Amino acid sequence: ASPTSPPTTPATEEPTDTPTPTDEPPPTPDTPTATEPTGPVVAFPDEFGFKGLTPLFVVLLRELGCECRVKRHAGRDTLQRGIEGAGIPYCAPMQLIHGAYFDLAEGRPDWLLLPVFKGLPRVAGEEHGTLCPMVIGSADILASLLEPKGARLLRPTIDFDGDGYDRASVREQLQQMAESLGRADRFTVAWSKAVAAQQHFDAECLAIGQRALDFCKAHQVVPVAVLGRPYTIHNDLLNSNVPSLLRGL
């Protein structure tokens, strides 16, 4: 440096153990229940409206005695299949969910779970939890493609907006689903366990975020919150690599 150059400050290296909440999913109920499933096979993807709500549906179905198949980590191949199969240039999340259901249908489950998702539980004082029109309409669009191919669909209407997991209409819709599966006698206990599992999952998500904030405070690292719907933020294909880009700043 020349004599007139200002003094340089050594770059501060990021701690090697910096947490990345988007890469740290909380535990999900992947272990089977105490009893072997005796009911039908029900499949659904961990994408779109299901993202962040998978524990609720996994535990509910397993406690009803069903075998539950969940498609996770949908990537480029699934997206490409959705683009080709949808035939319409939808947004990327919509194309991805097309591909995910096409993949699941190939496995010939007894049922595909294809809810009409209208609203998510509100978070941190939100005024509304309503989902976008494409998410709400996706079930009808997908049904028009899947039913002609012989797929049997479970299509409850799920709207958590307002009362969250205590919303009576959600319970009624899922109870009707249990009746369609021939498992109505198990619903009350199954629903109670499913809600408990989902609430535990939600608490773990908050704990992950709190650990990250505590770390930032302790090591003087600037935290950046990425806002959006879970199905976009928590899919590496749909989040445009924003978490990694921010981490590299």
Side-chain angles (χ1 to χ4, degrees):
S2 66
T4 58
S5 299
T8 58
T9 302
T12 301
E13 293 187 1
E14 180 182 347
T16 57
D17 57 344
T18 303
T20 306
T22 54
D23 294 337
E24 187 184 347
T28 55
D30 287 326
T31 54
T33 53
T35 58
E36 290 297 320
T38 57
V41 177
V42 182
F44 67 90
D46 179 31
E47 299 293 343
F48 231 23
F50 282 110
K51 184 66 78 174
L53 293 171
T54 298
L56 182 80
F57 290 95
V58 167
V59 173
L60 176 63
L61 290 167
R62 287 181 176 171
E63 291 296 330
L64 289 175
C66 300
E67 179 183 335
C68 186
R69 297 179 187 172
V70 181
K71 179 175 178 59
R72 302 181 187 275
H73 311 300
R76 294 190 181 279
D77 290 344
T78 302
L79 177 62
Q80 185 60 39
R81 184 168 192 180
I83 292 171
E84 295 171 357
I88 297 175
Y90 294 115
C91 61
M94 185 69 164
Q95 292 169 332
L96 188 71
I97 199 65
H98 272 74
Y101 272 102
F102 294 156
D103 288 346
L104 287 169
E106 274 194 351
R108 301 283 182 182
D110 297 309
W111 296 91
L112 288 173
L113 178 54
L114 182 61
V116 179
F117 282 107
K118 296 181 67 177
L120 298 177
R122 300 181 191 181
V123 178
E126 289 179 320
E127 293 184 6
H128 304 285
T130 306
L131 288 162
C132 88
M134 293 307 298
V135 177
I136 297 172
S138 63
D140 290 334
I141 295 170
L142 283 161
S144 71
L145 299 174
L146 294 168
E147 285 180 328
K149 297 180 180 180
R152 300 172 70 196
L153 307 179
L154 296 166
R155 301 189 57 197
T157 298
I158 306 298
D159 187 359
F160 290 113
D161 191 16
D163 297 328
Y165 307 125
D166 294 327
R167 189 155 189 175
S169 63
V170 174
R171 179 187 174 100
E172 291 168 2
Q173 287 284 309
L174 293 175
Q175 188 164 13
Q176 292 174 16
M177 182 188 77
E179 292 172 0
S180 298
L181 293 168
R183 325 297 285 183
D185 58 317
R186 302 187 180 197
F187 178 76
T188 300
V189 173
W191 177 244
S192 177
K193 291 184 177 181
V195 171
Q198 183 63 44
Q199 290 173 333
H200 173 72
F201 176 90
D202 293 344
E204 285 295 306
C205 287
L206 291 175
I208 288 172
Q210 188 60 56
R211 287 197 296 271
L213 292 174
D214 291 343
F215 181 95
C216 290
K217 183 176 181 180
H219 294 84
Q220 297 184 336
V221 175
V222 177
V224 178
V226 180
L227 305 181
R229 290 301 185 189
Y231 58 80
T232 300
I233 294 176
H234 297 288
N235 182 291
D236 290 336
L237 193 63
L238 302 180
N239 65 19
S240 301
N241 209 31
V242 167
S244 295
L245 292 172
L246 289 170
R247 191 177 175 85
L249 293 178

